[in-house]
Short mmCIF file of all heavy atoms in Angstrom, two decimals:
data_model
loop_
_atom_site.label_atom_id
_atom_site.label_comp_id
_atom_site.label_asym_id
_atom_site.label_seq_id
_atom_site.Cartn_x
_atom_site.Cartn_y
_atom_site.Cartn_z
N VAL A 1398 -1.21 9.44 -9.81
CA VAL A 1398 -1.32 8.05 -9.39
C VAL A 1398 -2.23 7.94 -8.18
O VAL A 1398 -2.23 8.84 -7.32
CB VAL A 1398 0.08 7.45 -9.07
CG1 VAL A 1398 -0.05 6.03 -8.52
CG2 VAL A 1398 1.00 7.47 -10.28
N ALA A 1399 -2.98 6.82 -8.09
CA ALA A 1399 -3.67 6.46 -6.86
C ALA A 1399 -3.30 5.01 -6.52
O ALA A 1399 -3.18 4.18 -7.40
CB ALA A 1399 -5.19 6.57 -7.06
N LEU A 1400 -3.10 4.75 -5.26
CA LEU A 1400 -2.81 3.39 -4.82
C LEU A 1400 -4.10 2.58 -4.70
O LEU A 1400 -5.14 3.10 -4.25
CB LEU A 1400 -2.11 3.40 -3.44
CG LEU A 1400 -0.66 3.90 -3.44
CD1 LEU A 1400 -0.12 3.94 -2.02
CD2 LEU A 1400 0.25 3.04 -4.32
N CYS A 1401 -4.05 1.30 -5.08
CA CYS A 1401 -5.19 0.42 -5.04
C CYS A 1401 -4.77 -0.97 -4.55
O CYS A 1401 -3.58 -1.28 -4.56
CB CYS A 1401 -5.85 0.33 -6.43
SG CYS A 1401 -6.17 1.91 -7.23
N ASN A 1402 -5.75 -1.82 -4.19
CA ASN A 1402 -5.39 -3.11 -3.65
C ASN A 1402 -5.74 -4.29 -4.56
O ASN A 1402 -5.37 -5.41 -4.25
CB ASN A 1402 -5.99 -3.31 -2.26
CG ASN A 1402 -7.53 -3.30 -2.30
OD1 ASN A 1402 -8.16 -3.32 -3.36
ND2 ASN A 1402 -8.14 -3.26 -1.12
N ASP A 1403 -6.44 -4.06 -5.64
CA ASP A 1403 -6.68 -5.04 -6.71
C ASP A 1403 -7.52 -6.24 -6.25
O ASP A 1403 -8.72 -6.31 -6.49
CB ASP A 1403 -5.34 -5.49 -7.32
CG ASP A 1403 -5.49 -6.04 -8.71
OD1 ASP A 1403 -6.56 -5.85 -9.32
OD2 ASP A 1403 -4.52 -6.63 -9.25
N ASP A 1404 -6.90 -7.24 -5.61
CA ASP A 1404 -7.56 -8.50 -5.28
C ASP A 1404 -7.15 -9.00 -3.90
O ASP A 1404 -6.52 -10.05 -3.77
CB ASP A 1404 -7.22 -9.57 -6.33
CG ASP A 1404 -7.55 -9.13 -7.74
OD1 ASP A 1404 -8.72 -9.13 -8.11
OD2 ASP A 1404 -6.59 -8.81 -8.48
N PRO A 1405 -7.43 -8.27 -2.85
CA PRO A 1405 -6.84 -8.60 -1.53
C PRO A 1405 -7.16 -9.96 -0.97
O PRO A 1405 -6.32 -10.56 -0.31
CB PRO A 1405 -7.37 -7.46 -0.63
CG PRO A 1405 -8.57 -6.94 -1.34
CD PRO A 1405 -8.32 -7.09 -2.81
N ALA A 1406 -8.37 -10.50 -1.24
CA ALA A 1406 -8.70 -11.80 -0.68
C ALA A 1406 -7.82 -12.91 -1.25
O ALA A 1406 -7.45 -13.85 -0.57
CB ALA A 1406 -10.19 -12.11 -0.97
N ILE A 1407 -7.45 -12.77 -2.52
CA ILE A 1407 -6.66 -13.78 -3.20
C ILE A 1407 -5.17 -13.55 -2.97
O ILE A 1407 -4.38 -14.52 -2.86
CB ILE A 1407 -6.96 -13.81 -4.70
CG1 ILE A 1407 -8.42 -14.21 -4.92
CG2 ILE A 1407 -6.07 -14.77 -5.44
CD1 ILE A 1407 -8.90 -14.12 -6.36
N LEU A 1408 -4.75 -12.30 -2.91
CA LEU A 1408 -3.33 -11.95 -2.88
C LEU A 1408 -2.70 -12.02 -1.50
O LEU A 1408 -1.49 -11.93 -1.37
CB LEU A 1408 -3.14 -10.57 -3.46
CG LEU A 1408 -3.57 -10.42 -4.94
CD1 LEU A 1408 -3.46 -8.98 -5.36
CD2 LEU A 1408 -2.71 -11.31 -5.84
N GLY A 1409 -3.52 -12.16 -0.44
CA GLY A 1409 -2.95 -12.37 0.87
C GLY A 1409 -2.97 -11.19 1.84
O GLY A 1409 -2.40 -11.25 2.91
N GLN A 1410 -3.70 -10.09 1.46
CA GLN A 1410 -3.77 -8.98 2.39
C GLN A 1410 -4.57 -9.30 3.64
O GLN A 1410 -4.38 -8.69 4.68
CB GLN A 1410 -4.36 -7.72 1.71
CG GLN A 1410 -3.38 -7.00 0.80
CD GLN A 1410 -3.55 -7.34 -0.65
OE1 GLN A 1410 -3.67 -8.53 -0.99
NE2 GLN A 1410 -3.54 -6.35 -1.55
N GLY A 1411 -5.53 -10.21 3.51
CA GLY A 1411 -6.27 -10.62 4.69
C GLY A 1411 -7.50 -9.82 4.98
O GLY A 1411 -8.32 -10.16 5.82
N ASN A 1412 -7.67 -8.67 4.33
CA ASN A 1412 -8.89 -7.85 4.48
C ASN A 1412 -9.09 -7.03 3.22
O ASN A 1412 -8.24 -7.05 2.30
CB ASN A 1412 -8.82 -6.96 5.74
CG ASN A 1412 -7.58 -6.09 5.71
OD1 ASN A 1412 -7.40 -5.27 4.77
ND2 ASN A 1412 -6.75 -6.20 6.71
N SER A 1413 -10.16 -6.28 3.16
CA SER A 1413 -10.52 -5.56 1.92
C SER A 1413 -9.95 -4.14 1.88
O SER A 1413 -10.14 -3.47 0.88
CB SER A 1413 -12.04 -5.49 1.81
OG SER A 1413 -12.61 -6.80 1.81
N GLY A 1414 -9.27 -3.71 2.91
CA GLY A 1414 -8.76 -2.34 2.94
C GLY A 1414 -7.48 -2.15 2.14
O GLY A 1414 -6.94 -3.08 1.53
N MET A 1415 -6.96 -0.92 2.20
CA MET A 1415 -5.77 -0.56 1.44
C MET A 1415 -4.56 -0.30 2.30
O MET A 1415 -3.52 0.15 1.78
CB MET A 1415 -6.07 0.69 0.57
CG MET A 1415 -7.05 0.44 -0.56
SD MET A 1415 -6.94 1.75 -1.81
CE MET A 1415 -7.80 3.07 -0.95
N THR A 1416 -4.64 -0.52 3.59
CA THR A 1416 -3.54 -0.18 4.47
C THR A 1416 -2.24 -0.87 4.11
O THR A 1416 -1.15 -0.29 4.18
CB THR A 1416 -3.92 -0.47 5.92
OG1 THR A 1416 -5.01 0.36 6.31
CG2 THR A 1416 -2.74 -0.21 6.88
N HIS A 1417 -2.32 -2.15 3.71
CA HIS A 1417 -1.08 -2.87 3.37
C HIS A 1417 -0.35 -2.21 2.19
O HIS A 1417 0.87 -2.02 2.23
CB HIS A 1417 -1.38 -4.32 3.03
CG HIS A 1417 -1.78 -5.14 4.24
ND1 HIS A 1417 -3.08 -5.45 4.51
CD2 HIS A 1417 -1.06 -5.69 5.25
CE1 HIS A 1417 -3.13 -6.17 5.64
NE2 HIS A 1417 -1.93 -6.32 6.10
N ASP A 1418 -1.09 -1.83 1.13
CA ASP A 1418 -0.44 -1.21 -0.02
C ASP A 1418 0.10 0.16 0.36
O ASP A 1418 1.19 0.54 -0.05
CB ASP A 1418 -1.45 -1.08 -1.16
CG ASP A 1418 -1.68 -2.41 -1.85
OD1 ASP A 1418 -0.94 -2.72 -2.80
OD2 ASP A 1418 -2.60 -3.12 -1.47
N PHE A 1419 -0.64 0.93 1.18
CA PHE A 1419 -0.17 2.24 1.61
C PHE A 1419 1.10 2.10 2.48
O PHE A 1419 2.05 2.86 2.32
CB PHE A 1419 -1.28 2.94 2.41
CG PHE A 1419 -2.23 3.77 1.55
CD1 PHE A 1419 -2.98 3.15 0.54
CD2 PHE A 1419 -2.35 5.12 1.73
CE1 PHE A 1419 -3.85 3.89 -0.23
CE2 PHE A 1419 -3.21 5.88 0.96
CZ PHE A 1419 -3.97 5.25 -0.04
N TRP A 1420 1.11 1.12 3.37
CA TRP A 1420 2.27 0.93 4.25
C TRP A 1420 3.47 0.55 3.42
O TRP A 1420 4.59 1.04 3.63
CB TRP A 1420 1.95 -0.15 5.27
CG TRP A 1420 3.04 -0.30 6.27
CD1 TRP A 1420 3.13 0.26 7.55
CD2 TRP A 1420 4.26 -1.09 6.11
NE1 TRP A 1420 4.30 -0.13 8.18
CE2 TRP A 1420 5.01 -0.95 7.32
CE3 TRP A 1420 4.76 -1.87 5.11
CZ2 TRP A 1420 6.22 -1.57 7.50
CZ3 TRP A 1420 5.99 -2.49 5.29
CH2 TRP A 1420 6.71 -2.33 6.49
N GLN A 1421 3.31 -0.40 2.48
CA GLN A 1421 4.43 -0.86 1.65
C GLN A 1421 5.06 0.32 0.93
O GLN A 1421 6.29 0.44 0.86
CB GLN A 1421 3.92 -1.88 0.61
CG GLN A 1421 3.72 -3.26 1.18
CD GLN A 1421 4.98 -4.06 1.32
OE1 GLN A 1421 5.66 -3.97 2.33
NE2 GLN A 1421 5.31 -4.86 0.34
N ALA A 1422 4.25 1.19 0.35
CA ALA A 1422 4.77 2.34 -0.36
C ALA A 1422 5.52 3.31 0.59
O ALA A 1422 6.60 3.79 0.28
CB ALA A 1422 3.65 3.06 -1.09
N LEU A 1423 4.92 3.55 1.73
CA LEU A 1423 5.51 4.47 2.68
C LEU A 1423 6.85 3.96 3.20
O LEU A 1423 7.84 4.71 3.28
CB LEU A 1423 4.56 4.71 3.86
CG LEU A 1423 5.03 5.61 4.98
CD1 LEU A 1423 5.32 7.03 4.49
CD2 LEU A 1423 4.00 5.67 6.10
N GLN A 1424 6.90 2.69 3.55
CA GLN A 1424 8.13 2.12 4.09
C GLN A 1424 9.17 1.90 3.02
O GLN A 1424 10.37 1.96 3.27
CB GLN A 1424 7.81 0.80 4.82
CG GLN A 1424 8.97 0.17 5.53
CD GLN A 1424 9.56 1.03 6.62
OE1 GLN A 1424 10.43 1.85 6.38
NE2 GLN A 1424 9.06 0.86 7.84
N GLY A 1425 8.74 1.61 1.80
CA GLY A 1425 9.68 1.23 0.77
C GLY A 1425 10.39 2.36 0.04
O GLY A 1425 11.50 2.20 -0.41
N TRP A 1426 9.70 3.54 -0.07
CA TRP A 1426 10.25 4.61 -0.94
C TRP A 1426 10.62 5.85 -0.12
O TRP A 1426 9.76 6.50 0.48
CB TRP A 1426 9.23 4.98 -2.00
CG TRP A 1426 8.82 3.79 -2.85
CD1 TRP A 1426 9.60 2.73 -3.18
CD2 TRP A 1426 7.56 3.58 -3.46
NE1 TRP A 1426 8.91 1.85 -3.97
CE2 TRP A 1426 7.63 2.33 -4.15
CE3 TRP A 1426 6.34 4.28 -3.50
CZ2 TRP A 1426 6.57 1.81 -4.87
CZ3 TRP A 1426 5.29 3.78 -4.21
CH2 TRP A 1426 5.43 2.54 -4.89
N GLU A 1427 11.87 6.18 -0.14
CA GLU A 1427 12.39 7.32 0.66
C GLU A 1427 11.77 8.62 0.28
O GLU A 1427 11.53 9.49 1.12
CB GLU A 1427 13.91 7.39 0.47
CG GLU A 1427 14.64 8.15 1.57
CD GLU A 1427 14.69 7.38 2.88
OE1 GLU A 1427 14.75 6.14 2.84
OE2 GLU A 1427 14.66 8.02 3.93
N ASN A 1428 11.48 8.85 -1.02
CA ASN A 1428 10.99 10.13 -1.49
C ASN A 1428 9.50 10.34 -1.21
O ASN A 1428 9.00 11.42 -1.50
CB ASN A 1428 11.24 10.27 -3.01
CG ASN A 1428 12.55 10.93 -3.29
OD1 ASN A 1428 13.12 11.63 -2.46
ND2 ASN A 1428 13.07 10.71 -4.50
N LEU A 1429 8.78 9.36 -0.74
CA LEU A 1429 7.34 9.44 -0.69
C LEU A 1429 6.86 10.15 0.60
O LEU A 1429 6.30 11.29 0.53
CB LEU A 1429 6.70 8.06 -0.76
CG LEU A 1429 5.21 8.04 -0.99
CD1 LEU A 1429 4.86 8.57 -2.37
CD2 LEU A 1429 4.64 6.64 -0.82
N GLY A 1430 7.04 9.55 1.74
CA GLY A 1430 6.59 10.13 2.98
C GLY A 1430 5.08 10.15 3.10
O GLY A 1430 4.35 9.79 2.17
N LEU A 1431 4.60 10.59 4.25
CA LEU A 1431 3.16 10.74 4.45
C LEU A 1431 2.58 11.76 3.47
O LEU A 1431 1.42 11.62 3.04
CB LEU A 1431 2.88 11.19 5.90
CG LEU A 1431 1.40 11.27 6.32
CD1 LEU A 1431 0.74 9.87 6.18
CD2 LEU A 1431 1.27 11.80 7.73
N GLU A 1432 3.39 12.76 3.10
CA GLU A 1432 2.96 13.75 2.12
C GLU A 1432 2.59 13.06 0.80
O GLU A 1432 1.55 13.40 0.19
CB GLU A 1432 4.04 14.78 1.84
CG GLU A 1432 4.61 15.45 3.06
CD GLU A 1432 5.89 14.80 3.57
OE1 GLU A 1432 5.91 13.55 3.65
OE2 GLU A 1432 6.86 15.52 3.80
N GLY A 1433 3.43 12.15 0.34
CA GLY A 1433 3.15 11.46 -0.92
C GLY A 1433 1.92 10.57 -0.84
O GLY A 1433 1.13 10.49 -1.78
#
């Protein structure tokens, strides 16, 4: 799997980067961690 941001301007991320999706996954899933 690779994380992606799809349509950030429309979906509300506020910028073109992927930090929001990466943060959501890191904070949301106990098994992931920075390693994941």
